[in-house]
Amino acid sequence: MSEVVTGDAVVVEVRVAQPPIRAVALAIDMIVQVTLMVGVFLAVGFSSVVSDPALAGAVSILISVLVMAGYPVIFETATRGRSLGKLALGLRVVSDDGGPERFRQALFRGLAGVLEFWTFFGAPALIASLISQRGKRLGDVFAGTIVISERGPSGSSQPVLMPPALEGWARTLELSQLPGEVAGAARQYLVRWHDLSPAVQHEMGVRIAAQVAAYVTPPPPPGVPPHAYLSAVLAERRRRDQARYPQAPQGHGVRPQAAPYPQPGPYGQPYAQPHAPQVFSPQAAPPGSSPPPPPAPQPRTTPGGFAPPQ
């Protein structure tokens, strides 16, 4: 695991792709590239358009460069960081700030890959990835990118609970346009909520909530805190996913345990701060009456009446 800091100062944990799995993805891509080059060379060789040997050599060099450098650039730009090999193994190229890979970065990685893999047979890439803590090859260093693994253990995520006061409103949401990257940033914000100062909590919450609100309708009720709005959106999104893809019946796997989230209270009625439980002695109770039960500890919440995820 590694951490990246987004443009909104959100610390996001990512799984850095290890060199062995990257090597397998590279092998798949190189097989595809070699197949393309062989096919194009055979087509040019059997074609009568190019009859001059010098012209045929120039066309062959041009095709080789286009396939070796253009293949990763075109695929990673079109699929936002995934070539065929990376797509098969669940890898993705992202910027150092966690954002999607841009064309300029894909171009730097593609040109550097010609030297790293096709000229020096991958030796510079292997040495650089072993030295770098994030497994960066030279192309990643020049482009400011990192290769991450999108396939993580399913039991590592903690579900976000639905604030009760927003449950009815959340069922009317239109979530089909919400991108996965925006939802992921909202989740990381909720996970890190208690580690942030109050000022950063509010500022980052407003920014991320505004990004989510650009894709989600209808707008939230007036006075809803940003973390409560994001919790409702993500919880409803997860509920619909579970309804669309039901879990396997009992006995076919171990269901991950949910984190001990505090239970939220009514909207607009914040709880008091938790206090130490009192101890009651049976001798102190009046004769003929049972001792009162100890009060349940109150969960930690924030203004607005919603308990954010821990």
Side-chain angles (χ1 to χ4, degrees), residues 11-28:
V11 181
V12 181
E13 290 186 355
V14 295
R15 296 175 59 87
V16 177
Q18 298 301 314
I21 191 172
R22 292 185 63 178
V24 176
L26 174 64
I28 295 175

Side-chain angles (χ1 to χ4, degrees), residues 138-186:
L138 295 181
D140 293 318
V141 175
F142 296 149
T145 56
I146 182 175
V147 180
I148 65 173
S149 176
E150 296 183 309
R151 298 177 183 174
S154 59
S156 61
S157 60
Q158 299 178 352
V160 178
L161 295 187
M162 170 69 69
L166 296 179
E167 185 173 2
W169 164 81
R171 292 183 179 272
T172 65
L173 292 177
E174 171 58 43
L175 302 175
S176 60
Q177 302 299 323
L178 181 62
E181 295 83 358
V182 178

Side-chain angles (χ1 to χ4, degrees), residues 40-299:
V40 174
F41 289 158
L42 291 177
V44 173
F46 288 104
S47 175
S48 59
V49 176
V50 182
S51 57
D52 186 4
L55 181 59
V59 171
S60 299
I61 295 176
L62 178 62
I63 292 174
S64 300
V65 174
L66 289 178
V67 172
M68 289 187 294
Y71 166 86
V73 174
I74 294 174
F75 267 92
E76 291 183 5
T77 302
T79 61
R80 308 190 74 178
R82 290 181 293 185
S83 60
L84 291 180
K86 294 181 178 64
L87 183 63
L89 297 179
L91 305 182
R92 180 189 289 270
V93 181
V94 297
S95 301
D96 284 337
D97 60 357
E101 182 186 21
R102 295 178 287 273
F103 171 76
R104 174 183 57 82
Q105 295 171 319
L107 181 60
F108 273 108
R109 296 185 80 256
L111 295 177
V114 174
L115 297 177
E116 291 182 276
F117 302 122
W118 297 98
T119 304
F120 297 103
F121 306 100
L126 177 61
I127 295 175
S129 62
L130 293 177
I131 295 176
S132 174
Q133 294 182 352
R134 294 186 171 185
K136 287 190 172 188
R137 65 176 178 89
L138 295 181
D140 293 318
V141 175
F142 296 149
T145 56
I146 182 175
V147 180
I148 65 173
S149 176
E150 296 183 309
R151 298 177 183 174
S154 59
S156 61
S157 60
Q158 299 178 352
V160 178
L161 295 187
M162 170 69 69
L166 296 179
E167 185 173 2
W169 164 81
R171 292 183 179 272
T172 65
L173 292 177
E174 171 58 43
L175 302 175
S176 60
Q177 302 299 323
L178 181 62
E181 295 83 358
V182 178
R187 176 170 181 80
Q188 290 296 332
Y189 164 75
L190 294 176
V191 171
R192 295 281 181 174
W193 195 91
H194 286 297
D195 298 332
L196 307 175
S197 64
V200 177
Q201 288 175 357
H202 177 73
E203 180 181 358
M204 289 172 47
V206 171
R207 291 182 183 179
I208 299 178
Q211 295 176 2
V212 173
Y215 301 97
V216 175
T217 55
V224 174
H227 68 267
Y229 169 71
L230 298 175
S231 298
V233 172
L234 296 186
E236 178 64 18
R237 187 171 184 259
R238 179 172 177 269
R239 185 193 68 81
R240 296 182 185 181
D241 289 341
Q242 290 180 342
R244 188 179 302 112
Y245 306 104
Q247 297 180 353
Q250 294 183 358
H252 295 273
V254 180
R255 187 175 182 180
Q257 297 293 330
Y261 288 105
Q263 295 297 326
Y267 176 66
Q269 299 178 7
Y271 285 115
Q273 293 294 329
H275 55 276
Q278 301 179 7
V279 179
F280 294 88
S281 175
Q283 289 79 7
S289 62
S290 59
Q298 300 292 343

